[in-house]
mmCIF file with all atom_site columns, all heavy atoms in Angstrom:
data_model
loop_
_atom_site.group_PDB
_atom_site.id
_atom_site.type_symbol
_atom_site.label_atom_id
_atom_site.label_alt_id
_atom_site.label_comp_id
_atom_site.label_asym_id
_atom_site.label_entity_id
_atom_site.label_seq_id
_atom_site.pdbx_PDB_ins_code
_atom_site.Cartn_x
_atom_site.Cartn_y
_atom_site.Cartn_z
_atom_site.occupancy
_atom_site.B_iso_or_equiv
_atom_site.pdbx_formal_charge
_atom_site.auth_seq_id
_atom_site.auth_comp_id
_atom_site.auth_asym_id
_atom_site.auth_atom_id
_atom_site.pdbx_PDB_model_num
ATOM 1   N N   . GLY A 1 118 ? -14.429 -12.054 -11.660 1.00 87.00 ? 118 GLY A N   1
ATOM 2   C CA  . GLY A 1 118 ? -14.485 -13.166 -10.613 1.00 87.00 ? 118 GLY A CA  1
ATOM 3   C C   . GLY A 1 118 ? -14.185 -12.674 -9.320  1.00 87.00 ? 118 GLY A C   1
ATOM 4   O O   . GLY A 1 118 ? -13.913 -11.476 -9.134  1.00 87.00 ? 118 GLY A O   1
ATOM 5   N N   . THR A 1 119 ? -14.319 -13.512 -8.339  1.00 86.00 ? 119 THR A N   1
ATOM 6   C CA  . THR A 1 119 ? -14.076 -13.077 -6.893  1.00 86.00 ? 119 THR A CA  1
ATOM 7   C C   . THR A 1 119 ? -12.562 -12.563 -6.680  1.00 86.00 ? 119 THR A C   1
ATOM 8   O O   . THR A 1 119 ? -12.458 -11.693 -5.925  1.00 86.00 ? 119 THR A O   1
ATOM 9   C CB  . THR A 1 119 ? -14.398 -14.191 -5.984  1.00 86.00 ? 119 THR A CB  1
ATOM 10  O OG1 . THR A 1 119 ? -13.621 -15.373 -6.271  1.00 86.00 ? 119 THR A OG1 1
ATOM 11  C CG2 . THR A 1 119 ? -15.847 -14.615 -5.936  1.00 86.00 ? 119 THR A CG2 1
ATOM 12  N N   . ASN A 1 120 ? -11.657 -13.340 -7.303  1.00 87.00 ? 120 ASN A N   1
ATOM 13  C CA  . ASN A 1 120 ? -10.259 -12.855 -7.238  1.00 87.00 ? 120 ASN A CA  1
ATOM 14  C C   . ASN A 1 120 ? -10.115 -11.536 -7.863  1.00 87.00 ? 120 ASN A C   1
ATOM 15  O O   . ASN A 1 120 ? -9.258  -10.668 -7.389  1.00 87.00 ? 120 ASN A O   1
ATOM 16  C CB  . ASN A 1 120 ? -9.311  -13.858 -7.781  1.00 87.00 ? 120 ASN A CB  1
ATOM 17  C CG  . ASN A 1 120 ? -9.248  -15.108 -7.008  1.00 87.00 ? 120 ASN A CG  1
ATOM 18  O OD1 . ASN A 1 120 ? -9.480  -15.171 -5.760  1.00 87.00 ? 120 ASN A OD1 1
ATOM 19  N ND2 . ASN A 1 120 ? -8.848  -16.265 -7.610  1.00 87.00 ? 120 ASN A ND2 1
ATOM 20  N N   . GLY A 1 121 ? -10.818 -11.337 -8.945  1.00 88.00 ? 121 GLY A N   1
ATOM 21  C CA  . GLY A 1 121 ? -10.643 -10.013 -9.587  1.00 88.00 ? 121 GLY A CA  1
ATOM 22  C C   . GLY A 1 121 ? -11.181 -8.890  -8.795  1.00 88.00 ? 121 GLY A C   1
ATOM 23  O O   . GLY A 1 121 ? -10.599 -7.773  -8.710  1.00 88.00 ? 121 GLY A O   1
ATOM 24  N N   . VAL A 1 122 ? -12.417 -9.137  -8.151  1.00 88.00 ? 122 VAL A N   1
ATOM 25  C CA  . VAL A 1 122 ? -12.937 -8.079  -7.244  1.00 88.00 ? 122 VAL A CA  1
ATOM 26  C C   . VAL A 1 122 ? -12.009 -7.737  -6.124  1.00 88.00 ? 122 VAL A C   1
ATOM 27  O O   . VAL A 1 122 ? -11.834 -6.613  -5.782  1.00 88.00 ? 122 VAL A O   1
ATOM 28  C CB  . VAL A 1 122 ? -14.270 -8.584  -6.725  1.00 88.00 ? 122 VAL A CB  1
ATOM 29  C CG1 . VAL A 1 122 ? -14.797 -7.752  -5.568  1.00 88.00 ? 122 VAL A CG1 1
ATOM 30  C CG2 . VAL A 1 122 ? -15.385 -8.611  -7.870  1.00 88.00 ? 122 VAL A CG2 1
ATOM 31  N N   . ALA A 1 123 ? -11.375 -8.769  -5.524  1.00 90.00 ? 123 ALA A N   1
ATOM 32  C CA  . ALA A 1 123 ? -10.410 -8.575  -4.530  1.00 90.00 ? 123 ALA A CA  1
ATOM 33  C C   . ALA A 1 123 ? -9.241  -7.677  -5.055  1.00 90.00 ? 123 ALA A C   1
ATOM 34  O O   . ALA A 1 123 ? -8.752  -6.762  -4.325  1.00 90.00 ? 123 ALA A O   1
ATOM 35  C CB  . ALA A 1 123 ? -9.844  -9.920  -4.060  1.00 90.00 ? 123 ALA A CB  1
ATOM 36  N N   . GLU A 1 124 ? -8.694  -7.936  -6.271  1.00 91.00 ? 124 GLU A N   1
ATOM 37  C CA  . GLU A 1 124 ? -7.668  -7.075  -6.855  1.00 91.00 ? 124 GLU A CA  1
ATOM 38  C C   . GLU A 1 124 ? -8.089  -5.663  -6.907  1.00 91.00 ? 124 GLU A C   1
ATOM 39  O O   . GLU A 1 124 ? -7.392  -4.665  -6.633  1.00 91.00 ? 124 GLU A O   1
ATOM 40  C CB  . GLU A 1 124 ? -7.293  -7.660  -8.189  1.00 91.00 ? 124 GLU A CB  1
ATOM 41  C CG  . GLU A 1 124 ? -6.428  -8.822  -8.135  1.00 91.00 ? 124 GLU A CG  1
ATOM 42  C CD  . GLU A 1 124 ? -5.781  -9.218  -9.541  1.00 91.00 ? 124 GLU A CD  1
ATOM 43  O OE1 . GLU A 1 124 ? -5.067  -8.343  -9.988  1.00 91.00 ? 124 GLU A OE1 1
ATOM 44  O OE2 . GLU A 1 124 ? -6.154  -10.312 -10.016 1.00 91.00 ? 124 GLU A OE2 1
ATOM 45  N N   . ALA A 1 125 ? -9.359  -5.512  -7.376  1.00 91.00 ? 125 ALA A N   1
ATOM 46  C CA  . ALA A 1 125 ? -9.928  -4.079  -7.548  1.00 91.00 ? 125 ALA A CA  1
ATOM 47  C C   . ALA A 1 125 ? -9.989  -3.323  -6.203  1.00 91.00 ? 125 ALA A C   1
ATOM 48  O O   . ALA A 1 125 ? -9.575  -2.194  -6.023  1.00 91.00 ? 125 ALA A O   1
ATOM 49  C CB  . ALA A 1 125 ? -11.331 -4.109  -8.121  1.00 91.00 ? 125 ALA A CB  1
ATOM 50  N N   . TYR A 1 126 ? -10.406 -4.044  -5.152  1.00 91.00 ? 126 TYR A N   1
ATOM 51  C CA  . TYR A 1 126 ? -10.412 -3.536  -3.808  1.00 91.00 ? 126 TYR A CA  1
ATOM 52  C C   . TYR A 1 126 ? -9.043  -3.096  -3.329  1.00 91.00 ? 126 TYR A C   1
ATOM 53  O O   . TYR A 1 126 ? -8.761  -2.110  -2.659  1.00 91.00 ? 126 TYR A O   1
ATOM 54  C CB  . TYR A 1 126 ? -11.076 -4.377  -2.796  1.00 91.00 ? 126 TYR A CB  1
ATOM 55  C CG  . TYR A 1 126 ? -12.545 -4.343  -2.705  1.00 91.00 ? 126 TYR A CG  1
ATOM 56  C CD1 . TYR A 1 126 ? -13.370 -5.390  -3.065  1.00 91.00 ? 126 TYR A CD1 1
ATOM 57  C CD2 . TYR A 1 126 ? -13.170 -3.112  -2.216  1.00 91.00 ? 126 TYR A CD2 1
ATOM 58  C CE1 . TYR A 1 126 ? -14.777 -5.339  -2.931  1.00 91.00 ? 126 TYR A CE1 1
ATOM 59  C CE2 . TYR A 1 126 ? -14.553 -3.028  -2.048  1.00 91.00 ? 126 TYR A CE2 1
ATOM 60  C CZ  . TYR A 1 126 ? -15.358 -4.171  -2.466  1.00 91.00 ? 126 TYR A CZ  1
ATOM 61  O OH  . TYR A 1 126 ? -16.685 -3.898  -2.334  1.00 91.00 ? 126 TYR A OH  1
ATOM 62  N N   . GLU A 1 127 ? -8.096  -4.007  -3.524  1.00 92.00 ? 127 GLU A N   1
ATOM 63  C CA  . GLU A 1 127 ? -6.727  -3.933  -3.035  1.00 92.00 ? 127 GLU A CA  1
ATOM 64  C C   . GLU A 1 127 ? -6.071  -2.625  -3.474  1.00 92.00 ? 127 GLU A C   1
ATOM 65  O O   . GLU A 1 127 ? -5.183  -2.093  -2.788  1.00 92.00 ? 127 GLU A O   1
ATOM 66  C CB  . GLU A 1 127 ? -5.818  -5.069  -3.498  1.00 92.00 ? 127 GLU A CB  1
ATOM 67  C CG  . GLU A 1 127 ? -6.162  -6.429  -2.835  1.00 92.00 ? 127 GLU A CG  1
ATOM 68  C CD  . GLU A 1 127 ? -5.925  -6.445  -1.349  1.00 92.00 ? 127 GLU A CD  1
ATOM 69  O OE1 . GLU A 1 127 ? -4.858  -5.988  -0.953  1.00 92.00 ? 127 GLU A OE1 1
ATOM 70  O OE2 . GLU A 1 127 ? -6.777  -6.903  -0.638  1.00 92.00 ? 127 GLU A OE2 1
ATOM 71  N N   . GLU A 1 128 ? -6.503  -2.044  -4.678  1.00 91.00 ? 128 GLU A N   1
ATOM 72  C CA  . GLU A 1 128 ? -5.782  -0.820  -5.132  1.00 91.00 ? 128 GLU A CA  1
ATOM 73  C C   . GLU A 1 128 ? -5.989  0.289   -4.134  1.00 91.00 ? 128 GLU A C   1
ATOM 74  O O   . GLU A 1 128 ? -5.050  1.180   -3.903  1.00 91.00 ? 128 GLU A O   1
ATOM 75  C CB  . GLU A 1 128 ? -6.433  -0.455  -6.398  1.00 91.00 ? 128 GLU A CB  1
ATOM 76  C CG  . GLU A 1 128 ? -6.177  -1.500  -7.556  1.00 91.00 ? 128 GLU A CG  1
ATOM 77  C CD  . GLU A 1 128 ? -6.107  -0.825  -8.904  1.00 91.00 ? 128 GLU A CD  1
ATOM 78  O OE1 . GLU A 1 128 ? -5.987  0.439   -8.950  1.00 91.00 ? 128 GLU A OE1 1
ATOM 79  O OE2 . GLU A 1 128 ? -6.060  -1.527  -9.888  1.00 91.00 ? 128 GLU A OE2 1
ATOM 80  N N   . SER A 1 129 ? -7.039  0.388   -3.272  1.00 93.00 ? 129 SER A N   1
ATOM 81  C CA  . SER A 1 129 ? -7.344  1.431   -2.446  1.00 93.00 ? 129 SER A CA  1
ATOM 82  C C   . SER A 1 129 ? -6.477  1.233   -1.180  1.00 93.00 ? 129 SER A C   1
ATOM 83  O O   . SER A 1 129 ? -6.196  2.298   -0.347  1.00 93.00 ? 129 SER A O   1
ATOM 84  C CB  . SER A 1 129 ? -8.805  1.515   -2.022  1.00 93.00 ? 129 SER A CB  1
ATOM 85  O OG  . SER A 1 129 ? -9.180  0.325   -1.197  1.00 93.00 ? 129 SER A OG  1
ATOM 86  N N   . LEU A 1 130 ? -5.850  0.083   -0.883  1.00 92.00 ? 130 LEU A N   1
ATOM 87  C CA  . LEU A 1 130 ? -5.104  -0.054  0.418   1.00 92.00 ? 130 LEU A CA  1
ATOM 88  C C   . LEU A 1 130 ? -3.694  0.487   0.197   1.00 92.00 ? 130 LEU A C   1
ATOM 89  O O   . LEU A 1 130 ? -2.932  0.452   1.165   1.00 92.00 ? 130 LEU A O   1
ATOM 90  C CB  . LEU A 1 130 ? -5.046  -1.548  0.776   1.00 92.00 ? 130 LEU A CB  1
ATOM 91  C CG  . LEU A 1 130 ? -6.367  -2.141  1.119   1.00 92.00 ? 130 LEU A CG  1
ATOM 92  C CD1 . LEU A 1 130 ? -6.200  -3.648  1.539   1.00 92.00 ? 130 LEU A CD1 1
ATOM 93  C CD2 . LEU A 1 130 ? -6.991  -1.454  2.369   1.00 92.00 ? 130 LEU A CD2 1
ATOM 94  N N   . SER A 1 131 ? -3.350  0.882   -0.999  1.00 89.00 ? 131 SER A N   1
ATOM 95  C CA  . SER A 1 131 ? -2.041  1.618   -1.178  1.00 89.00 ? 131 SER A CA  1
ATOM 96  C C   . SER A 1 131 ? -2.039  3.094   -0.755  1.00 89.00 ? 131 SER A C   1
ATOM 97  O O   . SER A 1 131 ? -1.030  3.798   -0.783  1.00 89.00 ? 131 SER A O   1
ATOM 98  C CB  . SER A 1 131 ? -1.562  1.453   -2.552  1.00 89.00 ? 131 SER A CB  1
ATOM 99  O OG  . SER A 1 131 ? -2.521  2.171   -3.514  1.00 89.00 ? 131 SER A OG  1
ATOM 100 N N   . LEU A 1 132 ? -3.274  3.614   -0.437  1.00 92.00 ? 132 LEU A N   1
ATOM 101 C CA  . LEU A 1 132 ? -3.402  5.020   -0.020  1.00 92.00 ? 132 LEU A CA  1
ATOM 102 C C   . LEU A 1 132 ? -2.578  5.269   1.294   1.00 92.00 ? 132 LEU A C   1
ATOM 103 O O   . LEU A 1 132 ? -2.524  4.398   2.181   1.00 92.00 ? 132 LEU A O   1
ATOM 104 C CB  . LEU A 1 132 ? -4.864  5.346   0.186   1.00 92.00 ? 132 LEU A CB  1
ATOM 105 C CG  . LEU A 1 132 ? -5.827  5.379   -1.115  1.00 92.00 ? 132 LEU A CG  1
ATOM 106 C CD1 . LEU A 1 132 ? -7.172  5.469   -0.638  1.00 92.00 ? 132 LEU A CD1 1
ATOM 107 C CD2 . LEU A 1 132 ? -5.417  6.543   -1.969  1.00 92.00 ? 132 LEU A CD2 1
ATOM 108 N N   . PRO A 1 133 ? -2.114  6.439   1.480   1.00 91.00 ? 133 PRO A N   1
ATOM 109 C CA  . PRO A 1 133 ? -1.367  6.823   2.775   1.00 91.00 ? 133 PRO A CA  1
ATOM 110 C C   . PRO A 1 133 ? -2.492  6.924   3.904   1.00 91.00 ? 133 PRO A C   1
ATOM 111 O O   . PRO A 1 133 ? -3.654  7.185   3.665   1.00 91.00 ? 133 PRO A O   1
ATOM 112 C CB  . PRO A 1 133 ? -0.714  8.137   2.455   1.00 91.00 ? 133 PRO A CB  1
ATOM 113 C CG  . PRO A 1 133 ? -1.514  8.722   1.282   1.00 91.00 ? 133 PRO A CG  1
ATOM 114 C CD  . PRO A 1 133 ? -2.000  7.525   0.528   1.00 91.00 ? 133 PRO A CD  1
#
Side-chain angles (χ1 to χ4, degrees):
T119 56
N120 289 338
V122 168
E124 285 189 61
Y126 271 118
E127 289 294 315
E128 296 209 13
S129 65
L130 292 182
S131 63
L132 292 168

